[in-house]
Amino acid sequence: MNQAPTLEQQIEFQIRTSGPMSVATYMGLCLTHPSKGYYKNQDPFGAKGDFITAPEISQMFGELIGFWVVNLWQQMNEPKTFTLLELGPGRGTLMSDVLRVACRAPGFRDALDLRLFETSPALVAEQKARLEAYDPKWLENFENVGTGPIIILANEFFDALPIRQFVRKENGWHERQIGLDGDKRVFGLSPTPIPPMSMPPGVADAAIDEILEFCFGGAQLMSRLSQLVSRQGGAMLAIDYGYARTQTGETLQGVRRHAYADVLEAPGEVDLSAHVDFEALASVARQSGLAVQPLQTQGGFLTDMGISHRATALAGANPNLAQDIRAAEQRLVGADQMGELFKVLCAHSPGLQPSGFGA
Ligand code: SAH
């Protein structure tokens, strides 16, 4: 009987037949291969999963973003219909907290056209179960996203998009590739150098052997979405771990069951991600005519949105949970926890003044 090849065998076959593959090709296969990719098969979240995200830590995260969304909707004069789009909604936790708060604003629920963009069938099922009452529609692409104003949310989405890596050598930058040594997967370099002038100016004086990461898919998606926002009016909020300026340094990482794992081991079973280059995303948004708020830390954003008042109110209503609520607040805003590493990027129509950025 013929057995379907494993993802590992498919990757080996592809390298043997067409040569070493880019880090982006490898990452794309590992994460979103139609039957064996990480996001197609695993439930990555929660205590038993590989990692835990901000909305899973506390409802306060989504609730404050709910206030943020309502505030923008009001600034846009409460349009009778508008699109709320989330990229990579996971279990639907963030959106359900957002909407529980936002739908208290009179008229908001009637105006809402909810769209979700998700690759994992298992997570689509969870989103369906959680968000059914709001009549969501799942997008295959961004061709048909209404014509009215649009607000886009993305938490820990851009870090999951495949990156390419380039290594600085004497004669230029060489793309890092994955090849085979016997039957073992190993990193190597493309023999063809790319001239330094075609790389971002910020890394012009990089030392030999420094690594530059570039997320082509992220930039492309940002460009597409920025054009939508620019044309239809609205804003985008992207929260992720990453850096404020384009810089060198490897950030590609593997995580399996709450521990770091080798990037090349067990394809499809390890979560692969990389830090987000927010400067690259912001410059794409500006090119489409959007205004971009100064990059804010997650701690700064949540503090500005009033997390400590929200925590006090919640703890007052649930005295037996008060300690947990304060601990969750600390986890979200603490400088040594998620507060500084995670950043908040907001790109928006020039006339709007999004809250949370200290204005
Ligand atoms: N926003 C959620 C989940 C973060 S994990 C939270 O904060 O809990 C990343 C999410 O993006 C998952 O839902 C994953 O399935 C989805 N995702 C990853 N790569 C994707 C892609 N290429 N296209 C669409 N969704 C993707």
Side-chain angles (χ1 to χ4, degrees), residues 40-51:
K40 300 287 172 168
N41 282 316
Q42 327 260 332
D43 178 355
F45 306 105
K48 284 208 214 76
D50 292 322
F51 55 88

Side-chain angles (χ1 to χ4, degrees), residues 39 45 53 55 86 88-90 117-120 123 155-157 160-161:
Y39 279 114
F45 306 105
T53 57
E86 186 178 357
F117 181 65
E118 173 58 62
T119 182
S120 155
L123 292 175
N155 187 60
E156 289 207 41
F157 171 76
L161 301 180

Side-chain angles (χ1 to χ4, degrees), residues 44-63:
F45 306 105
K48 284 208 214 76
D50 292 322
F51 55 88
I52 182 162
T53 57
E56 304 292 339
I57 289 173
S58 166
Q59 68 189 73
M60 292 185 286
F61 184 79
E63 289 170 347

Side-chain angles (χ1 to χ4, degrees), residues 66-330:
F67 290 120
W68 184 88
V69 169
V70 170
N71 177 272
L72 272 181
W73 177 70
Q74 289 169 338
Q75 285 186 41
M76 295 191 290
N77 300 319
E78 309 191 356
K80 290 286 166 270
T81 117
F82 82 101
T83 299
L84 182 59
L85 162 63
E86 186 178 357
L87 310 174
R91 289 170 156 173
T93 310
L94 171 62
M95 191 51 87
S96 93
D97 292 335
V98 163
L99 292 176
R100 192 178 55 252
V101 163
C103 289
R104 285 190 215 140
F108 185 94
R109 171 70 187 90
D110 288 339
L112 173 70
D113 172 17
L114 180 61
R115 309 289 181 115
L116 307 172
F117 181 65
E118 173 58 62
T119 182
S120 155
L123 292 175
V124 166
E126 289 203 41
Q127 292 155 18
K128 224 172 229 162
R130 270 224 164 119
L131 299 169
E132 207 168 20
Y134 303 102
D135 197 17
K137 294 178 196 72
W138 282 263
L139 291 177
E140 298 290 325
N141 54 49
F142 302 102
E143 296 308 317
N144 195 3
V145 203
T147 50
I150 177 164
I151 297 176
I152 304 171
L153 304 177
N155 187 60
E156 289 207 41
F157 171 76
F158 282 96
D159 67 75
L161 301 180
I163 51 147
R164 293 170 69 177
Q165 291 185 325
F166 300 89
V167 183
R168 182 77 166 105
K169 291 289 175 194
E170 303 284 354
N171 61 348
W173 293 84
H174 292 252
E175 180 148 23
R176 205 164 177 223
Q177 297 177 317
I178 291 149
L180 293 170
D181 179 7
D183 52 11
K184 195 173 171 312
R185 285 178 298 282
V186 291
F187 283 111
L189 292 183
S190 155
T192 320
I194 298 165
M197 66 190 186
S198 35
M199 291 305 196
V203 299
D205 51 7
I208 301 301
D209 288 337
E210 284 204 63
I211 294 183
L212 174 72
E213 297 180 335
F214 181 68
C215 184
F216 185 79
Q220 206 178 30
L221 191 72
M222 189 69 183
S223 165
R224 178 83 190 93
L225 295 172
S226 299
Q227 284 161 22
L228 275 182
V229 173
S230 177
R231 201 175 320 130
Q232 300 176 198
M236 171 162 181
L237 193 70
I239 305 166
D240 227 308
Y241 40 89
Y243 37 93
R245 299 261 161 269
T246 300
Q247 62 184 44
T248 54
E250 178 171 30
T251 71
L252 175 64
Q253 65 175 30
V255 171
R256 200 180 187 184
R257 291 183 218 102
H258 296 279
Y260 288 109
D262 189 318
V263 167
L264 297 183
E265 84 179 32
E269 288 170 41
V270 177
D271 177 45
L272 300 177
S273 69
H275 287 213
V276 172
D277 179 351
F278 283 106
E279 182 177 4
L281 293 182
S283 87
V284 168
R286 280 194 204 95
Q287 279 160 25
S288 304
L290 295 185
V292 179
Q293 291 292 316
L295 193 69
Q296 169 71 292
T297 60
Q298 174 170 305
F301 176 77
L302 294 175
T303 302
D304 213 50
M305 290 302 301
I307 192 169
S308 98
H309 298 291
R310 187 72 199 122
T312 305
L314 271 182
N318 308 276
N320 52 333
L321 294 177
Q323 253 191 339
D324 294 350
I325 293 165
R326 288 295 176 192
E329 177 192 359
Q330 206 37 45

